[in-house]
Amino acid sequence: MILVGNPNVGKSVIFNYFSDSYAVVSNYPGTTVAVSKGKGQIKGKEYEIIDTPGMYSLQPITEEERVSQKYLFNSKPFVYLHVVDAKNLQRMLPLTIQLIEADVPLILVLNMMDEASARGISINESGLEKKLGIPVICTTSIKGEGMDRLEEAISSYSFQSAGSKIVEHSRGITYAIGKISSLLRSEYSLSKKTVAQLLLLNDAVALEEVKQKHEDIEAINKIVEGTEKEYSDPLNYVMTIERQEYVNDIVDSAMIMNNMVGINSENSRNKSSPSFSERIDKLLIQPITGIPILLLVLYFGLYKFVGGFAAGTVVDYLESTLFGELINPWVIGTFNSFVPYPVVQDLFVGEYGIFTQAVTYAIALIMPLVGAFFIVFSIVEDTGYLPRLAMLIDRVFKKMGMSGRAVIPMVLGFGCATMATMVTRTLETKREKVIASMLLALAIPCSAQLGVILGVLSFSGKALAIWAIVIGFELVLIGYLSSFVMPGEKPSFFIEMPPLRLPKLSNVLVKTYSRMQWYFFEVLPLFVIASVLIWVGRLTGLFDIAVNLMGYPSQWIGLPAEAGLMFFYGFFRRDFGAAGLFDMYNAGMLTGVNIVVAAITLTLFMPCIAQFLVTVKERGVKTAVAMAAFIFPGAFAVGFIVNYCHVTVKMT
């Protein structure tokens, strides 16, 4: 069973309802980059359930649509569930028509019926079912309404072709589709008519498929070229208009606007007056009001909650009291009594031991910071604020070679830059992907690093302001220069705008738990590996050599040589380096300007091993190495400038 449909229509909610597996539900497009799979039982029968990335058409434009289309070309499921937003049938039914023409087993799920009803929209479900020739089920998946009927429809489903002739295309296009179809000799998961339509539009995936099956490409190309000459407009435009006209006729007969929102409604006396939601929308996307709102979100969400409560209260209790006074002394004493060998003791319960450092940092320091950030992020994305933020900063991002859509990986980078680097694949152009990956590696601190830095700098509003200004300036400057230096297409901006919603507590908690679970299982093994490597390095002497080498650039920027250890940690994991900063701060080794310089340099320092490897995978070895070669000296150069400016000001 495969779920298809536009972004933000509730596919992931339905996936979670039926599946034993959990996929993150987001209120913005671009979250489900890869295909999510799970298993679940419906009426006692087990099904494999697959949630594909959001798509608007069988002819892809975005990376998400390409992923979905490739999956459709290579799958033969029991049934497709096409999930649509019930209040936007006119915009979403064209994909339904394409799927019907593809002659695949299909159930149409009209989701978000509560929002449609709130707008006075009702739908003639049985009439629409007869018109399309496929089962139609109305649901409100987030509330569980209509899901029992959907279960029944799935369990009793028996595929019957709805007929391949749905839309009446113009004579030239109809002839070309028929001619190309007759040339296709192989079997495809989509109907030959659909494959022919995609070939007529020069679709890359369809061309790849027919080439693999050794079809007569030369004859097909001649038909395509001849048909293109018959029309003054692009064939894609002509076919889209013809399909939309057919959809408009269906919607006119199936969608009913109730009197409650008609001209007799009290609320519609002045149609020009915007609704409350529309007024909020304008406040969020207008710079004069949107920027102060963004600053409030950052202040209360990140500074006060993550930096103050999580990094201060929670971390202080877990690290100092729970682990420092209770758990670690007991573990060290017990382990040493059973294992009398100093070398083994050093590996597990020594200064950099697997338990005393890796496990302690992962649970007492990293986990509360990551958890706090993901709570804030889940609330923000559930409200639908992220797309508004994308619109707000699109103009600024365009100056940096990216569109407002890049706000999604950028904001995700504050949670985990490794995960965010993978999400850059949703951006439109290669140039945009490279710039976003570069900025993520350069100036976006992950949640654990951010939490520690906010906690350490919270002693002074001036120190925190200097850190934020320098990092922000570096981000904008490098992005701006990259947009001139890097060749490629300029980005366009298109993003689905979901309605503003109140976040649902259960959804926020489940998403936070899922992300924390993923992050914890990601970070703990790396912390353990780091402890083992440090242990091996100390035994062989390589550790001391590396730390001593890092001491020279540390002293160059005005820090004690011992700070080299903190930067050395940063090679293994950004949050590992942040933990070293936290230790040096607690030990009183960094004070005043030293803390600011250390925090700035550490933030701009090279990405961790995990992020570097993902960058290699996504952008290639040469690009990843070039980024690291620029970032490493650049971080210390900025630290030197900040320290030099402070010394100069102090002397004058």
Side-chain angles (χ1 to χ4, degrees):
M1 183 169 71
I2 297 179
L3 296 163
V4 295
N6 291 25
N8 298 302
V9 294
K11 289 190 293 90
S12 295
V13 178
I14 293 175
F15 174 85
N16 295 331
Y17 180 89
F18 286 126
S19 174
D20 295 333
S21 303
Y22 178 75
V24 173
V25 183
S26 297
N27 201 26
Y28 61 91
T31 297
T32 315
V33 177
V35 174
S36 301
K37 297 181 180 180
K39 290 185 178 180
Q41 287 196 350
I42 300 174
K43 301 290 185 181
K45 186 177 180 180
E46 189 171 275
Y47 293 86
E48 183 183 38
I49 304 161
I50 299 163
D51 182 17
T52 59
M55 64 188 307
Y56 298 90
S57 168
L58 287 186
Q59 187 188 21
I61 298 175
T62 66
E63 185 68 22
E64 298 102 311
E65 289 181 298
R66 278 187 281 274
V67 171
S68 293
Q69 190 204 33
K70 286 180 181 179
Y71 204 87
L72 295 177
F73 256 110
N74 294 286
S75 303
K76 290 186 177 180
F78 163 68
V79 67
Y80 285 92
L81 300 185
H82 182 207
V83 186
V84 303
D85 179 356
K87 64 182 179 293
N88 288 313
L89 278 187
Q90 196 166 28
R91 183 160 55 87
M92 300 198 175
L93 280 186
L95 178 56
T96 310
I97 300 303
Q98 286 183 301
L99 291 169
I100 292 172
E101 289 180 329
D103 208 26
V104 297
L106 185 65
I107 295 176
L108 179 62
V109 183
L110 305 181
N111 198 29
M112 301 182 181
M113 284 300 300
D114 57 336
E115 294 182 7
S117 298
R119 297 191 181 190
I121 298 171
S122 61
I123 295 171
N124 184 350
E125 187 177 321
S126 60
L128 185 59
E129 197 169 89
K130 290 177 182 177
K131 198 84 174 178
L132 297 176
I134 59 172
V136 177
I137 306 295
C138 294
T139 63
T140 302
S141 58
I142 199 166
K143 297 179 181 178
E145 296 174 2
M147 298 302 290
D148 54 341
R149 294 183 60 239
L150 181 56
E151 286 188 53
E152 185 64 40
I154 294 169
S155 64
S156 61
Y157 183 79
S158 177
F159 176 56
Q160 292 182 348
S161 176
S164 60
K165 186 177 180 181
I166 299 294
V167 180
E168 286 286 348
H169 290 292
S170 54
R171 182 176 297 178
I173 290 174
T174 301
Y175 173 80
I177 292 172
K179 192 68 177 173
I180 294 173
S181 298
S182 66
L183 292 174
L184 299 176
R185 297 178 177 85
S186 303
E187 290 297 321
Y188 298 88
S189 56
L190 305 179
S191 69
K192 289 183 179 180
K193 178 179 180 180
T194 293
V195 176
Q197 287 183 9
L198 293 172
L199 290 170
L200 191 59
L201 300 175
N202 292 304
D203 180 76
V205 175
L207 284 168
E208 182 183 336
E209 288 289 324
V210 298
K211 283 179 181 178
Q212 289 178 357
K213 295 182 184 294
H214 307 290
E215 303 283 10
D216 191 348
I217 297 294
E218 188 176 339
I220 292 171
N221 287 337
K222 285 182 180 179
I223 296 170
V224 173
E225 290 170 7
T227 308
E228 286 175 338
K229 292 177 182 178
E230 294 181 28
Y231 294 86
S232 57
D233 293 318
L235 294 182
N236 187 27
Y237 173 79
V238 175
M239 294 174 69
T240 299
I241 292 299
E242 291 172 348
R243 188 178 296 114
Q244 190 63 55
E245 288 175 352
Y246 180 79
V247 167
N248 291 344
D249 291 337
I250 295 175
V251 172
D252 287 342
S253 61
M255 183 178 283
I256 303 164
M257 298 296 296
N258 297 327
N259 289 334
M260 59 180 288
V261 293
I263 57 172
N264 297 324
S265 171
E266 184 71 24
N267 294 328
S268 62
R269 288 177 181 173
N270 184 4
K271 289 188 177 181
S272 63
S273 62
S275 66
F276 177 74
S277 178
E278 290 171 335
R279 288 196 294 268
I280 296 295
D281 262 346
K282 287 183 179 179
L283 292 176
L284 293 176
I285 63 178
Q286 294 292 334
I288 194 169
T289 52
I291 292 174
I293 291 172
L294 172 60
L295 293 176
L296 285 173
V297 171
L298 294 175
Y299 177 77
F300 287 105
L302 295 183
Y303 179 66
K304 297 296 287 183
F305 187 65
V306 178
F309 174 69
T313 307
V314 179
V315 170
D316 183 61
Y317 171 75
L318 290 176
E319 187 176 47
S320 301
T321 305
L322 188 62
F323 277 84
E325 297 178 7
L326 300 174
I327 297 176
N328 281 357
W330 179 83
V331 170
I332 293 170
T334 303
F335 189 89
N336 289 343
S337 65
F338 283 99
V339 183
Y341 307 106
V343 173
V344 180
Q345 290 174 354
D346 190 46
L347 173 61
F348 287 94
V349 294
E351 184 181 359
Y352 307 106
I354 291 175
F355 188 87
T356 48
Q357 180 165 274
V359 175
T360 301
Y361 278 1
I363 296 176
L365 178 61
I366 306 305
M367 192 167 68
L369 296 175
V370 170
F373 173 82
F374 282 144
I375 288 173
V376 174
F377 185 78
S378 297
I379 292 172
V380 168
E381 68 173 352
D382 258 27
T383 61
Y385 176 61
L386 280 181
R388 276 84 183 169
L389 178 58
M391 289 190 66
L392 175 67
I393 65 175
D394 177 60
R395 190 172 298 176
V396 175
F397 270 34
K398 287 279 177 60
K399 300 290 185 183
M400 298 162 63
M402 304 178 292
S403 71
R405 187 181 176 88
V407 73
I408 295 169
M410 287 298 174
V411 173
L412 279 173
F414 287 105
C416 176
T418 304
M419 175 173 59
T421 303
M422 291 189 286
V423 175
T424 59
R425 68 181 66 165
T426 65
L427 302 179
E428 296 298 329
T429 65
K430 181 180 179 181
R431 176 174 179 255
E432 195 175 4
K433 293 172 184 177
V434 172
I435 293 174
S437 299
M438 173 71 176
L439 296 180
L440 282 167
L442 173 71
I444 303 295
C446 67
S447 58
Q449 187 184 51
L450 178 64
V452 171
I453 289 172
L454 290 176
V456 168
L457 297 181
S458 61
F459 73 94
S460 168
K462 182 179 178 182
L464 187 60
I466 292 172
W467 172 81
I469 290 169
V470 171
I471 299 302
F473 179 76
E474 179 86 355
L475 179 75
V476 174
L477 177 64
I478 299 303
Y480 182 72
L481 294 176
S482 298
S483 67
F484 283 99
V485 174
M486 199 165 296
E489 301 176 23
K490 291 184 178 181
S492 57
F493 179 58
F494 172 78
I495 195 166
E496 185 81 9
M497 188 65 70
L500 289 170
R501 301 186 181 100
L502 287 174
K504 190 176 180 182
L505 180 61
S506 61
N507 202 31
V508 169
L509 293 177
V510 170
K511 285 196 289 185
T512 301
Y513 170 76
S514 176
R515 285 167 170 158
M516 283 182 65
Q517 185 182 49
W518 173 86
Y519 191 88
F520 186 73
F521 285 116
E522 169 80 13
V523 72
L524 184 57
L526 291 172
F527 268 46
V528 171
I529 291 170
S531 290
V532 172
L533 290 175
I534 291 171
W535 177 72
V536 172
R538 294 180 74 191
L539 286 177
T540 59
L542 294 174
F543 178 82
D544 293 331
I545 294 173
V547 171
N548 289 334
L549 288 174
M550 289 302 300
Y552 292 110
S554 300
Q555 289 176 308
W556 184 58
I557 62 176
L559 301 180
E562 290 82 359
L565 180 63
M566 171 185 67
F567 293 114
F568 185 62
Y569 280 170
F571 282 119
F572 296 100
R573 189 85 182 176
R574 275 187 169 186
D575 36 25
F576 219 49
L581 173 65
F582 192 74
D583 282 348
M584 293 187 71
Y585 171 72
N586 282 340
M589 298 173 68
L590 298 174
T591 57
V593 69
N594 290 151
I595 301 175
V596 180
V597 172
I600 289 171
T601 309
L602 186 63
T603 305
L604 299 175
F605 195 59
M606 286 179 64
C608 64
I609 291 174
Q611 185 182 354
F612 178 78
L613 292 176
V614 168
T615 305
V616 169
K617 180 183 176 183
E618 296 291 326
R619 307 280 87 87
V621 176
K622 290 182 180 179
T623 302
V625 171
M627 288 180 186
F630 169 75
I631 291 170
F632 178 74
F636 285 99
V638 173
F640 175 81
I641 292 170
V642 173
N643 185 61
Y644 177 80
C645 290
H646 176 268
V647 172
T648 303
V649 171
K650 193 173 182 180
M651 289 178 64
T652 56

